[in-house]
Each structure stands twice: as structure tokens, then as C-alpha cells.
Amino acid sequence: MTIEELKSNIKWWESKRWIYNVAVGLFGIFAIYDGLSRGEYFWTLDDTIGIIVWGIGANIFYSLGILLELFDWYYLKNKVGIKKLRIIFFIIGLLFSCFWTLWCGWLYFAKPYLW
């Protein structure tokens, strides 16, 4: 892999990041809306900080796609061929992150006494 291919791979992943962020954000908004509409809940600063930390964490996990490709290229000499499977990894990661966000949001509002 040359520097140009490396830049191309990073550009591909970074061009999809906005799709990932919008999708995860919409699922998070739905979970929050659903949780707040079920009863009386008082929004706190901790909730806002939690959403920011969740977004940063989600983007760190998104970056694993790029790192996985680099790992395959540098250490495995493209034996796995992750570049051919990156759209599958993107879709699986996107779906997992969206449903994980939704599930955790529902759990947060369903069991507030746990937090």
C-alpha cells in the first residue's frame, strides 16, 4: 500500500463518518424522546455530559474500521483483504451502534434507579 492508497482508504472511511453520526444521533434522539415522553424526568447536566461522552465513544469505535484496515495492511500484508469487506464492516458497525444506542437509551429511562 502506498501513501496515496492510505490517503484514499482514510478518505473513504471519513466520507462515511457523517452517515454514521447522523444515524446514531437519530436513534439516540428517538430513545431520549421515547424515554422522556413516558413520564416525569428531570434533565440534568449529567445527562448532557453523558450524551457528549457517548458521541465521542461512538466515534472512537468508528475509527476502528480505519485501524483494522491499517493493521491488515501493515502486519498481515493484506492477507485478510479487509479493504474488499469494508462496506460490510461499515454496515454491520452502523447497525450495531444504532441499535446499541437505542437499547441503552431505553434501558436508561426504563431503570432510572440503577443510575
Side-chain angles (χ1 to χ4, degrees), residues 58-78:
N59 277 281
I60 289 171
F61 279 106
Y62 179 83
S63 297
L64 289 177
I66 299 168
L67 295 175
L68 199 59
E69 264 192 61
L70 289 173
F71 183 84
D72 181 41
W73 167 66
Y74 189 76
Y75 291 108
L76 304 176
K77 308 297 182 216
N78 289 325

Side-chain angles (χ1 to χ4, degrees), residues 48-63:
T48 304
I49 292 171
I51 289 171
I52 293 168
V53 169
W54 189 271
I56 292 169
N59 277 281
I60 289 171
F61 279 106
Y62 179 83
S63 297

Side-chain angles (χ1 to χ4, degrees), residues 75-90:
Y75 291 108
L76 304 176
K77 308 297 182 216
N78 289 325
K79 289 181 182 171
V80 178
I82 291 178
K83 186 174 180 175
K84 294 179 280 188
L85 304 171
R86 69 172 136 183
I87 192 72
I88 294 170
F89 283 121
F90 173 73

Side-chain angles (χ1 to χ4, degrees), residues 4 13 19 25 34 43-44 46 55 77 92 97 99:
E4 292 306 316
W13 281 100
I19 297 169
D34 187 52
W43 195 263
T44 65
D46 292 339
K77 308 297 182 216
I92 290 171
S97 296
F99 289 114

Side-chain angles (χ1 to χ4, degrees), residues 26-38 41 54 98-115:
L26 288 174
F27 273 72
I29 289 170
F30 178 74
I32 292 169
Y33 173 76
D34 187 52
L36 291 175
S37 66
R38 290 182 185 213
Y41 183 81
W54 189 271
C98 287
F99 289 114
W100 184 257
T101 299
L102 188 64
W103 183 77
C104 288
W106 283 342
L107 183 65
Y108 181 77
F109 287 106
K111 306 284 186 196
Y113 57 88
L114 293 176
W115 316 114

